[in-house]
C-alpha cells in the first residue's frame, strides 16, 4: 500500500485485514510515522518511505495507491511497468499529461488496473445506479474533478 493516511488506515487496511485473505506485504508513506503506525496495527512486515523501491514490486501481487492525488498516476505507471496489478483510489490523474501517460502504459501492459470510488452512497452514484439497474453490460463512468491545486 502506498499512502498510509486516514482513509488507508481506517478503511482500506481495515477492510483488507477483516474481510479478505490478503495481507499487507509492504506499506509506505512519505510520513514514516504514518507508515510505521499502519504497519504495526495491521501486521505488515515491511515499512518504508521510498514508495517506488524495486524491492516492493517483487513482493506484491497488487499495489494499492492511496497517496496524495498528484502522485497516483506516477506510482501507477511505475508499478504497471514493473509487472504489478494496480488499484488506485480516485482520481487516477490530476491533469491531462498524467492521464495520457497512464493510458499509454495501460495499453502496453498486460497487468490490470482498478479504480476505487469511496463514496458508494453519494447522491450521484445512487442516481447512476437507478439509470443503469437494467443494464447487463459494464459501464464506464467518467468524471471531472474541479477543485484546488493539489
Amino acid at each position: 500500500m502506498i499512502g498510509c493516511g486516514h482513509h488507508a488506515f481506517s478503511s482500506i487496511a481495515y477492510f483488507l485485514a477483516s474481510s479478505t485473505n490478503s495481507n499487507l506485504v509492504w506499506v509506505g508513506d512519505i510520513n514514516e510515522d504514518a507508515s510505521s503506525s499502519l504497519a504495526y496495527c495491521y501486521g505488515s512486515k515491511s515499512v518504508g518511505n521510498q514508495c517506488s523501491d524495486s524491492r516492493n514490486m517483487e513482493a506484491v501481487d497488487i499495489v494499492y495507491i492511496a497517496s496524495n492525488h498528484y502522485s497516483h498516476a506516477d506510482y501507477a505507471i511505475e508499478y504497471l511497468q514493473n509487472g504489478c496489478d494496480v488499484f488506485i483510489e480516485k482520481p487516477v490523474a490530476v491533469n491531462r499529461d498524467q492521464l495520457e501517460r497512464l493510458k499509454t502504459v495501460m495499453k502496453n501492459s498486460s497487468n490490470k488496473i482498478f479504480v476505487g470510488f469511496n463514496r458508494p452512497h453519494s447522491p450521484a452514484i445512487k442516481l447512476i445506479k437507478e439509470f443503469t439497474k437494467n443494464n447487463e453490460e459494464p459501464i464506464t463512468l467518467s468524471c471531472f474533478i474541479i477543485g484546488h491545486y493539489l
Side-chain angles (χ1 to χ4, degrees):
M1 179 176 309
I2 299 174
C4 299
H6 176 46
H7 180 64
F9 192 99
S10 63
S11 297
I12 301 165
Y14 175 79
F15 172 79
L16 291 173
S18 63
S19 305
T20 67
N21 224 6
S22 60
N23 58 32
L24 292 171
V25 174
W26 182 89
V27 298
D29 195 289
I30 58 173
N31 178 339
E32 288 187 56
D33 290 338
S35 54
S36 295
S37 178
L38 193 143
Y40 175 78
C41 287
Y42 292 104
S44 177
K45 301 289 189 245
S46 184
V47 180
N49 66 350
Q50 298 299 316
C51 299
S52 59
D53 187 330
S54 63
R55 292 172 294 175
N56 304 331
M57 296 175 202
E58 296 169 6
V60 300
D61 297 318
I62 186 167
V63 63
Y64 202 116
I65 302 171
S67 56
N68 177 290
H69 294 173
Y70 195 84
S71 66
H72 288 184
D74 290 335
Y75 285 135
I77 288 167
E78 186 168 5
Y79 276 82
L80 284 170
Q81 288 176 328
N82 284 282
C84 292
D85 291 338
V86 173
F87 188 108
I88 310 172
E89 276 300 331
K90 58 106 180 101
V92 297
V94 296
N95 60 46
R96 185 171 302 278
D97 176 61
Q98 285 184 342
L99 183 60
E100 293 303 322
R101 287 187 297 116
L102 181 57
K103 285 170 42 179
T104 299
V105 170
M106 287 170 52
K107 287 179 186 175
N108 296 314
S109 174
S110 61
N111 290 89
K112 297 175 187 164
I113 187 166
F114 306 92
V115 179
F117 180 70
N118 58 19
R119 305 285 189 268
H121 304 292
S122 71
I125 296 302
K126 288 179 181 177
L127 183 62
I128 290 169
K129 285 180 180 178
E130 182 62 31
F131 280 110
T132 60
K133 68 182 174 187
N134 296 322
N135 186 6
E136 295 180 14
E137 299 293 321
I139 66 165
T140 299
L141 172 63
S142 297
C143 63
F144 291 92
I145 297 163
I146 301 172
H148 54 85
Y149 179 76
L150 297 173

